[in-house]
Amino acid sequence: MGILWEVVQTGLMYGQKRKSDSVEDRVHSLEEQLSLTQNTLRALVKKLEEIHGLDIDGDGRVG
C-alpha cells in the first residue's frame, strides 16, 4: 500500500505545483515525476515477481 500512496501523494503535490510554475519548470517537474513513477513501477513489478515467482516483465529473471 505504501507504493500506491506515494504515487497518490506525488500526484497531489504536482497538481499544486503546476499552478504557479513556468512551462520550463513544469516540464522539469514532469520529467522528475516520470522518473519517480518509473522507479515505483519497477519496484512494484519486482515485488510481484518475488511474491508470485513469475517473470512478469520478460527480462528472464524473477525478482
Side-chain angles (χ1 to χ4, degrees):
M1 187 66 176
I3 292 174
L4 295 177
W5 180 244
E6 203 173 305
V7 171
V8 169
Q9 284 182 319
T10 301
L12 293 173
M13 287 188 304
Y14 171 71
Q16 292 299 318
K17 182 172 175 40
R18 73 182 177 131
K19 291 180 182 177
S20 62
D21 290 343
S22 70
V23 172
E24 292 84 9
D25 290 338
R26 283 188 256 169
V27 168
H28 180 71
S29 180
L30 282 171
E31 289 170 341
E32 288 178 351
Q33 293 304 316
L34 175 61
S35 179
L36 291 172
T37 301
Q38 288 172 332
N39 292 338
T40 301
L41 288 173
R42 283 186 198 104
L44 181 59
V45 167
K46 181 179 178 182
K47 192 61 161 175
L48 287 171
E49 286 184 346
E50 291 170 357
I51 290 170
H52 295 288
L54 300 170
D55 178 20
I56 295 172
D57 60 4
D59 66 355
R61 300 180 300 169
V62 173

